[in-house]
Amino acid sequence: MESSMKAQIQQYLVESGNYEKISAKLNDKLLEDGWMDQVRRLTMNEIESDKSANFASILAKIEPQALDLVDQKTKDEVMAQIRAFLDEVVETE
C-alpha cells in the first residue's frame, strides 16, 4: 500500500512539473553548498584506492557518506517543498 501511494505521489509530482522544480532547486542548493565537489572527491579517492572497483561497489561505499554530507537545512527546505505540494493535493481529515 505504501509503495503504491509513493508511486502515485511521484507520478503526480512528475506530471504537474513539481518534481522538476524541486529537483532543480535541490541541485542548485547542493552545488551552492559544495556537496557535489565533496562527493566528487570521495568518488575519486575511492577509485584511486581500489582500481578494480566498479560503479556498483563505488556507489555502495560512497552513497551513505554522500547522504550524510547533505546539509540539514537543505534537507529541511526540500521536505518543506514536498509537504507544501502534498498539502495542496492530498485531502486530510
Side-chain angles (χ1 to χ4, degrees):
M1 180 78 160
E2 185 177 313
S3 63
S4 173
M5 172 88 66
K6 182 179 176 181
Q8 289 176 353
I9 291 169
Q10 187 172 10
Q11 179 181 355
Y12 193 81
L13 278 168
V14 170
E15 289 173 357
S16 68
N18 283 301
Y19 184 88
E20 183 65 32
K21 290 175 190 174
I22 293 169
S23 181
K25 186 169 183 174
L26 175 59
N27 189 56
D28 291 345
K29 189 69 175 140
L30 292 174
L31 186 59
E32 177 185 309
D33 290 346
W35 179 88
M36 291 186 181
D37 291 331
Q38 291 176 310
V39 172
R40 187 176 297 115
R41 279 192 294 278
L42 286 172
T43 303
M44 294 308 296
N45 289 342
E46 187 59 36
I47 291 169
E48 289 172 10
S49 71
D50 185 358
K51 300 288 186 195
S52 65
N54 61 27
F55 177 80
S57 67
I58 292 170
L59 179 62
K61 290 181 182 177
I62 299 301
E63 186 176 31
Q65 296 172 58
L67 292 173
D68 286 343
L69 289 172
V70 177
D71 183 70
Q72 187 61 47
K73 183 178 175 187
T74 299
K75 290 177 186 178
D76 293 344
E77 288 174 8
V78 171
M79 289 305 298
Q81 285 183 297
I82 293 170
R83 281 189 193 102
F85 166 76
L86 291 175
D87 286 345
E88 292 176 12
V89 297
V90 176
E91 292 181 25
T92 57
E93 298 179 61

